[in-house]
Amino acid sequence: MNIVDENLITTDPVPYLSKNGIQASVLRLDKLHPIISGNKWFKLKYYLKEAEEQNRHTIITFGGAYSNHIVAVAEACRIAGFKCSGIIRGEEPETYSPTLKTASQCGMQLKFITRGAYKQKIIPEELKSDGSYIIPEGGFGELGALGAATIPYDKNKFDTICCACGTGAMVAGLINGKTQKQKVIGLSVLKNHTGLEAEIRTLLINKSETLHIIHDFHFGGYAKQTQELIKFMNDLYRDTKIPTDFVYTAKLFYGVRQLIIQNNFKPGTKLLLIHSGGLQGNLSLQKRTLIF
Ligand SMILES: *Cc1c(COP(=O)(O)O)cnc(C)c1O
C-alpha cells in the first residue's frame, strides 16, 4: 500500500544530547507525512492491509478530540480509498479542535459518544455493518505491534532505543523487533499508568522479556504541560532544529536528557531516540507559545 514514503525518514545525530560519553541520534519518523505522522503509520499499516484483504469498505476507530491516531486514520483512509468513521470521546464541541477539523476534512465521519459509552467501546448501531473493519483505539493490538516492529533503523548502529509510550503498542513492537544485544526503554506520558507494563506484555513475543518503562516524565499527565517543558521544546529547537510535540516527543527528549545527566547510561552508549511524530498536537497550544 503506497500511502507514505518511508524513504523520507532520516537518522540524524543530536549533539545536544551527546554528553557524558553518549552518542545520541534521532530517528525522524515525523518526516514521514504531515498528517499520518510518525509511529501511527507503522501501527496502522497491517490493519489497513487486513481490511483490504477482507474486502471491507469502511474503517471504524476510536479516539479523543486531539488524537494523532484519529487524523492519521482519516488521512490514510482518504488516500487508500476507504470510507471511515471516528468514534470520538465526549460531547460534540461547539468549535472543533484542529485535529477534528483535519479529520473531518479528510472525509472521516465523526460520531461523538459519552465518556461512559466510550469506555466500553460501544459502536453506535448506525455504524455497524458487515463491510466495516474496526481498528482498536491507538492501534493497540497484535497488528499494531507487528507494524511497529518494522520501524526502520540500523540495528547494528544503536544499542539503546528510547521512545515515548502512550498505549505501549510501539514499544512492544520495538522490543519484538530488536536484537538480543539491544535494550528498548519506554517513557510513559501518562500519570499513574500502572497497568502499562502488563498491557505491553500482552503484545510481546517473548513473554519473559525484562521491561524498561520509566514513569517519571509525564509532566502532570497525558497532554499536560508546564512552562519548563515548553521552554525545553524551544531550547531544543533553537539548538538542534528538531521540533517536538508537547504530548509525547518533548517528554521523551526531556526525560532522556535527564537520564543522561543523571549518568543512567554507560559512556559509549549509542542511543537512538524515536521521534514518533505528533506535531499536529501543538496546534492546540496558544499561538506563539512555540518558536516553531
Ligand atoms: C500515539 C503516539 C505515541 C504513543 O504510541 P503508543 O504505541 O500508543 O505507545 C508516541 N508518540 C506519538 C507522537 C504518538 O502520536
Side-chain angles (χ1 to χ4, degrees), residues 36-66:
I36 313 168
S37 102
N39 72 349
K40 294 297 177 277
W41 162 249
F42 293 96
K43 291 199 288 175
L44 283 177
K45 63 185 202 181
Y46 289 125
Y47 291 112
L48 295 175
K49 185 160 173 266
E50 186 170 86
E52 194 175 69
E53 283 163 4
Q54 295 178 357
N55 289 317
R56 312 290 181 97
H57 51 68
T58 303
I59 304 289
I60 298 178
T61 196
F62 299 86
Y66 298 94

Side-chain angles (χ1 to χ4, degrees), residues 186-250:
L187 284 81
S188 175
V189 303
L190 278 76
K191 190 173 164 181
N192 301 330
H193 190 182
T194 49
L196 179 59
E197 281 86 345
E199 286 157 21
I200 293 168
R201 206 170 285 287
T202 64
L203 300 179
L204 293 184
I205 295 167
N206 173 9
K207 298 288 180 206
S208 61
E209 189 79 54
T210 307
L211 288 176
H212 306 280
I213 306 297
I214 293 167
H215 295 270
D216 302 332
F217 300 106
H218 54 71
F219 286 83
Y222 182 71
K224 297 277 197 303
Q225 36 92 7
T226 63
Q227 281 301 315
E228 193 189 356
L229 187 68
I230 299 293
K231 181 178 181 302
F232 172 76
M233 291 168 75
N234 284 330
D235 288 347
L236 180 70
Y237 183 76
R238 225 175 263 120
D239 203 281
T240 64
K241 291 287 172 290
I242 300 170
T244 48
D245 77 297
F246 75 95
V247 182
Y248 294 100
T249 53

Side-chain angles (χ1 to χ4, degrees), residues 39-40 43 68 164-170 248 276-278:
N39 72 349
K40 294 297 177 277
K43 291 199 288 175
N68 295 328
C165 295
T167 64
M170 169 168 58
Y248 294 100
S276 40

Side-chain angles (χ1 to χ4, degrees), residues 59-103:
I59 304 289
I60 298 178
T61 196
F62 299 86
Y66 298 94
S67 159
N68 295 328
H69 171 73
I70 284 290
V71 270
V73 170
E75 174 69 355
C77 286
R78 187 189 68 76
I79 298 171
F82 290 108
K83 286 189 221 160
C84 73
S85 297
I87 300 174
I88 311 297
R89 179 177 54 230
E91 269 187 35
E92 180 163 11
E94 246 169 63
T95 32
Y96 278 11
S97 63
T99 308
L100 294 181
K101 272 187 201 150
T102 307

